[in-house]
């Protein structure tokens, strides 16, 4: 998907995590010269050999292609990268500290590195998700160290990349948000995205703090929709309504829209849980109540655990029983296990004495670092052998079209907890399965 280039810029991207690497590869792909920097030697030497540190469809090909065409290079030498670029992206992590606040230490460290090696006018673009006001603080910090020797601007350009869809989200975004307090700097970054804007994608230009807030508010709004539906799913179960049909019924209202209304085992990942907490924390720091955000989080924690009583409804005594779990990553098309619902569910099932046989098409390696005492099957059907129940935690596509009769034959008891509502209950009940979904 090589787009026509208006002109190319010299860019460095600091941090080759998920966001940094996708950003670097995509910016190279639209014709810029990009240097990706990381302090992790092994990661950089792997990237030079085309080895991507996580699973993201299409990324390896994009990296290989752009590296071969010499638009994308990898280094641990931040001085070399900064000196050879006009635009420096900060794309390092901002994990939750113990209190739900975003830890911005790595972001400020990169700012200090930029101040140290700056050799001419630069635009510093903050891609990392940072609390409102951080870009202004970065600006102050750079000013204090650069002391007028070189000009610089700070621009906020939050990312909206979904894992598993990141390249598409970068190349064909719903919108691009650019925050700056200097019109000229904003326009330079707008120009960087010209190739994408040309395909009809809108760019929202605003001030620094608004752009920072748009990022948190987007994730929090999406998470709120999910928690709303999850809360409603319990009422659906009581009154015999179907939450999937409720989602369809309300989603067809164009003011609401149909996406992110799927009830299930709760949201996970490196972003929603962390960003909901961080936004609540920012509200508290401003002495504002954060009731909605707090509820989004607590409903979600409850939702993950609410899958366990569903299993017990089908298998009341779990001691020594084999329970198959399909899907471990926090969502399909990724091997990311951060805050995955599978963690809360499997830990609880194990406490109740169950033996877990898990299958995930890509997350097994990451899962092995988290779980103890569970076995892994090589195929979905392999996990079912002798199982007293199957729990579907992550809705990988390959689970959708399996031979139901074969599934039943392999299991010790035909029980399914479909925690992502991927099946039509009728299809399973018809052949003798006991089926429990979420909110239906
Ligand atoms: C999310 C946002 O969608 C991106 O726009 C954002 O850039 C990214 O966070 C980030 O801040 O970096 P991601 O965490 O990759 O992306 O995953 P999503 O596809 O948004 O899913 C998040 C969670 O919500 C998953 O656990 C998923 O299973 C769950 N979900 C999603 C539901 O339970 N129901 C739904 O209807 C949709």
């Amino acid at each position: 998907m090589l787009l026509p280039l208006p002109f190319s810029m010299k860019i460095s991207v600091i941090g080759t995590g998920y966001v940094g690497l996708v950003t670097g590869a995509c910016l190279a792909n639209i014709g810029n010269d990009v240097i990706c920097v990381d302090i992790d030697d092994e990661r950089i030497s792997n990237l030079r050999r085309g080895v991507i540190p996580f699973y993201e469809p299409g990324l390896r090909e994009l990296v290989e292609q752009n590296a071969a065409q010499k638009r994308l290079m990898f280094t641990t030498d931040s001085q070399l990268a900064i000196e050879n670029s006009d635009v420096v992206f900060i794309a390092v992590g901002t994990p939750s500290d113990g209190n739900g606040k975003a830890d911005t230490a790595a972001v400020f460290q990169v700012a200090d590195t930029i101040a140290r090696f700056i050799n001419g006018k630069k635009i510093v673009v903050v891609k990392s998700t940072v609390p409102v006001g951080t870009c202004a603080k970065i600006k102050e910090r750079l000013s204090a160290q650069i002391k007028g020797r070189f000009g610089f601007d700070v621009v906020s350009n939050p990312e909206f990349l979904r894992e598993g869809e990141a390249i598409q989200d970068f190349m064909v975004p719903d919108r691009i948000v650019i925050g700056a307090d200097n019109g000229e700097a904003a326009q330079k970054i707008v120009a960087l995205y010209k190739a994408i804007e040309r395909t009809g994608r809108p760019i929202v230009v605003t001030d620094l703090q608004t752009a920072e807030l748009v990022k948190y508010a987007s994730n929090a709004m999406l998470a709120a929709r999910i928690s709303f539906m999850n809360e409603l799913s319990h009422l659906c179960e009581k009154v015999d309504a179907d939450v999937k049909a409720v989602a369809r019924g309300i989603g067809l209202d164009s003011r609401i829209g149909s996406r992110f209304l799927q009830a299930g085992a709760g949201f996970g990942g490196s972003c929603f849980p962390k960003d909901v907490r961080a936004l609540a924390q920012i509200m508290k720091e401003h002495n504002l109540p954060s009731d909605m955000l707090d509820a989004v989080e607590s409903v979600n924690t409850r939702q993950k655990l609410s899958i366990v009583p569903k299993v017990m409804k089908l298998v009341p005594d779990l001691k020594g029983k084999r329970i198959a779990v399909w899907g471990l990553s926090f969502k399909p098309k990724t091997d990311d296990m951060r805050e995955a619902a599978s963690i809360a569910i499997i830990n609880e099932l194990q406490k109740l004495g169950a033996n877990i046989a898990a299958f995930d098409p890509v997350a097994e390696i990451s899962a092995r670092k988290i779980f103890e005492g569970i076995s892994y099957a090589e195929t979905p059907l392999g996990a079912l052998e002798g199982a007293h129940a199957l729990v579907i935690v992550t809705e990988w596509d390959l689970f959708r079209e399996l031979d139901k009769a074969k599934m039943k034959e392999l299991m010790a008891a035909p029980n399914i907890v479909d925690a992502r509502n991927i099946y039509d209950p009728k299809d399973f009940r018809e052949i003798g399965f006991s089926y429990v979904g979420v909110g239906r």
Side-chain angles (χ1 to χ4, degrees):
M1 195 195 328
L2 200 57
L3 296 167
L5 0 156
F7 59 93
S8 80
M9 288 191 193
K10 287 185 184 310
I11 295 169
S12 54
V13 179
I14 306 192
T16 60
Y18 190 77
V19 171
L21 195 53
V22 171
T23 302
C26 289
L27 286 173
N29 203 49
I30 55 175
N32 298 288
D33 291 320
V34 180
I35 308 176
C36 287
V37 189
D38 207 292
I39 47 173
D40 183 339
D41 278 328
E42 195 186 337
R43 184 173 276 239
I44 290 298
S45 56
N46 279 337
L47 283 166
R48 284 187 181 141
R49 290 185 291 118
V51 178
I52 309 293
F54 45 82
Y55 175 79
E56 177 64 30
L59 186 58
R60 188 173 54 81
E61 293 79 354
L62 203 67
V63 165
E64 266 173 13
Q65 192 186 329
N66 284 283
Q69 291 169 7
K70 309 251 178 294
R71 281 195 300 268
L72 182 61
M73 63 172 269
F74 297 99
T75 181
T76 51
D77 186 344
S78 34
Q79 177 171 7
L80 172 121
I82 293 163
E83 285 180 352
N84 286 288
S85 49
D86 306 315
V87 180
V88 184
F89 277 79
I90 303 182
V92 290
T94 51
S96 264
D97 70 3
N99 306 313
K101 221 172 135 180
D103 178 352
T104 51
V107 170
F108 285 111
Q109 237 166 45
V110 174
D112 292 347
T113 308
I114 297 171
R116 182 161 165 224
F117 297 127
I118 190 167
N119 62 337
K121 191 165 165 54
K122 315 258 172 215
I123 301 179
V124 176
V125 183
V126 180
K127 260 273 173 230
S128 304
T129 299
V130 291
V132 181
T134 304
C135 285
K137 284 189 196 147
I138 292 174
K139 217 173 138 181
E140 275 170 29
R141 191 144 163 163
L142 288 170
S143 287
Q145 296 175 60
I146 296 170
K147 298 196 174 85
R149 284 178 293 128
F150 301 102
F152 74 90
D153 284 294
V154 174
V155 170
S156 164
N157 173 218
E159 54 88 15
F160 303 101
L161 309 173
R162 283 166 304 165
E163 293 189 21
E165 315 281 344
I167 294 168
Q168 172 78 3
D169 283 351
F170 192 98
M171 295 297 193
V172 194
D174 285 343
R175 78 309 205 180
I176 292 165
V177 175
I178 293 171
D181 51 13
N182 168 339
E184 195 190 324
Q187 284 319 309
K188 282 204 176 128
I189 301 305
V190 168
L192 181 61
Y193 287 107
K194 264 283 178 287
I196 293 173
E197 190 190 25
R198 257 192 210 159
T199 62
R201 315 320 298 170
I203 298 188
V204 177
V205 178
T206 175
D207 54 67
L208 286 170
Q209 55 282 17
T210 303
E212 291 170 326
L213 190 51
V214 167
K215 165 68 196 195
Y216 279 111
S218 301
N219 275 358
M221 173 64 94
L222 293 167
R225 286 166 68 98
I226 299 169
S227 276
F228 176 75
M229 294 309 292
N230 281 335
E231 188 162 83
L232 220 52
S233 74
H234 298 281
L235 178 62
C236 288
E237 287 170 11
K238 292 270 185 227
V239 301
D240 214 5
D242 179 350
V243 77
K244 269 184 96 110
V246 173
R248 183 162 155 76
I250 64 177
L252 284 169
D253 184 325
S254 61
R255 293 167 301 176
I256 296 174
S258 60
R259 296 172 71 192
F260 281 73
L261 292 180
Q262 295 314 315
F267 58 78
S270 62
C271 308
F272 282 6
K274 159 176 92 75
D275 291 351
V276 168
R277 261 176 242 139
L279 185 55
Q281 194 56 39
I282 297 168
M283 307 270 308
K284 289 184 182 102
E285 276 165 20
H286 288 86
N287 295 319
L288 295 168
S290 57
D291 301 2
M292 279 193 63
L293 294 163
D294 297 340
V296 169
E297 190 188 358
S298 60
V299 167
N300 193 53
T301 307
R302 231 178 14 240
Q303 191 68 16
K304 291 178 178 173
L305 288 172
S306 74
I307 304 306
V308 176
K310 289 179 191 290
V311 183
M312 294 179 74
K313 197 169 150 192
L314 301 174
V315 187
D317 181 10
L318 286 164
K319 219 174 240 119
K321 300 278 167 39
R322 184 175 164 104
I323 304 296
V325 173
W326 282 1
L328 298 170
S329 53
F330 83 95
K331 67 170 192 178
K333 295 199 218 167
T334 174
D335 62 351
D336 196 336
M337 289 291 302
R338 282 175 285 181
E339 309 229 13
S342 66
I343 300 175
I345 296 169
I346 289 178
N347 284 344
E348 200 53 32
L349 291 173
Q350 281 185 312
K351 270 191 219 150
L352 293 163
N355 297 322
I356 306 295
F359 170 79
D360 189 289
V362 303
E364 186 183 320
I365 296 173
S366 353
R368 280 184 185 277
K369 296 179 197 140
I370 294 172
F371 299 115
E372 272 174 32
I374 78 172
S375 63
Y376 296 89
E378 278 173 22
T379 60
L381 292 180
L384 293 184
E385 278 173 40
H388 287 81
L390 161 64
V391 189
I392 296 162
V393 181
T394 313
E395 67 279 27
W396 285 92
D397 275 344
L398 87 163
F399 302 152
R400 291 179 198 268
E401 299 301 335
L402 291 174
D403 180 344
K404 298 173 197 66
K406 178 95 194 147
M407 287 168 66
K408 188 174 169 207
E409 208 180 288
L410 288 167
M411 295 178 74
N415 292 313
I416 289 200
V417 176
D418 180 1
R420 297 289 176 184
N421 289 343
I422 62 173
Y423 294 128
D424 185 340
K426 209 166 56 330
D427 294 347
F428 279 85
R429 288 184 183 141
E430 227 163 57
I431 60 162
F433 269 95
S434 297
Y435 171 100
V436 178
V438 173
R440 53 203 318 220

